[in-house]
C-alpha cells in the first residue's frame, strides 16, 4: 500500500474500532457514547469541541458504517494517490467539520454521527480537480 495513504488507513481503522465498540453484541453504553462523542448543539455548548471530529468515527449500524467506509476507501484512496496525504487530511477534515456544523444549524436538536460530510467533501474535490478523468 502506498505510504501516502496513511491518514486514510488511520481514519478507516479508527472508525472500524468505533463501529465494533458501538455495534457489537451486548453494548448497552452505545447511547452514552453517541451523546459523548456525537455532534450536537448541546455537545458544543457543553464544550465538547472534540465532537466536531469524533462524530465522523461513529455509525448507527453496520450497514451505515460499511457504506460510509467503502465510499471513503474508494474516493479517499484516489485523492491520496493523486494529491497526497496532506490534501486528503485537509479536505476530509474540512468536510467533517463543515458538514457537522451545517447539520447542527439545520437540525439543532439532533445528534450527528457518521463520516458522510468528509466523504462528500472528497467527492466534490475529486469532481472539481479531476476534469481530465471520468469518475464512475
Amino acid at each position: 500500500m502506498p505510504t501516502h495513504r496513511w491518514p486514510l488507513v488511520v481514519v478507516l481503522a479508527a472508525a472500524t474500532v468505533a463501529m465494533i465498540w458501538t455495534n457489537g453484541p451486548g453494548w448497552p453504553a452505545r447511547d452514552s457514547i453517541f451523546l459523548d462523542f456525537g455532534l450536537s448543539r448541546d455537545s458544543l455548548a457543553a464544550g465538547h469541541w472534540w465532537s466536531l471530529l469524533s462524530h465522523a468515527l461513529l455509525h448507527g449500524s453496520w450497514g451505515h458504517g460499511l457504506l460510509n467506509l467503502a465510499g471513503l476507501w474508494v474516493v479517499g484512496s484516489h485523492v491520496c494517490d493523486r494529491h497526497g496525504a496532506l490534501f486528503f487530511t485537509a479536505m476530509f477534515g474540512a468536510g467533517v467539520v463543515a458538514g457537522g456544523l451545517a447539520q447542527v444549524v439545520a437540525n439543532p436538536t439532533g445528534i450527528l454521527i457518521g463520516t458522510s460530510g468528509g466523504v462528500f467533501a472528497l467527492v466534490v474535490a475529486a469532481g472539481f480537480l479531476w476534469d481530465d478523468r471520468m469518475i464512475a
Side-chain angles (χ1 to χ4, degrees):
M1 176 175 307
T3 57
H4 53 274
R5 288 188 186 175
W6 69 266
L8 172 62
V9 173
V10 168
V11 171
L12 289 169
T16 300
V17 168
M19 206 166 26
I20 292 168
W21 185 34
T22 57
N23 291 297
W27 292 101
R30 174 182 160 153
D31 290 341
S32 68
I33 292 168
F34 286 173
L35 288 172
D36 290 340
F37 296 100
L39 180 61
S40 68
R41 185 173 281 183
D42 292 340
S43 69
L44 292 177
H48 297 176
W49 55 268
W50 59 84
S51 65
L52 283 168
L53 296 174
S54 63
H55 77 273
L57 301 177
L58 301 173
H59 293 88
S61 68
W62 284 100
H64 175 217
L66 292 175
L67 284 173
N68 268 221
L69 298 183
L72 179 58
W73 174 256
V74 169
V75 179
S77 60
H78 288 291
V79 170
C80 284
D81 290 348
R82 187 137 180 183
H83 298 288
L86 182 61
F87 183 81
F88 166 84
T89 304
M91 288 305 299
F92 180 74
V96 165
V97 172
L101 291 174
Q103 182 64 25
V104 166
V105 169
N107 185 6
T109 60
I111 297 175
L112 178 65
I113 57 173
T115 190
S116 299
V119 174
F120 183 71
L122 294 173
V123 169
V124 169
F128 279 105
L129 296 172
W130 298 346
D131 58 351
D132 63 330
R133 184 171 172 178
M134 181 73 137
I135 298 176

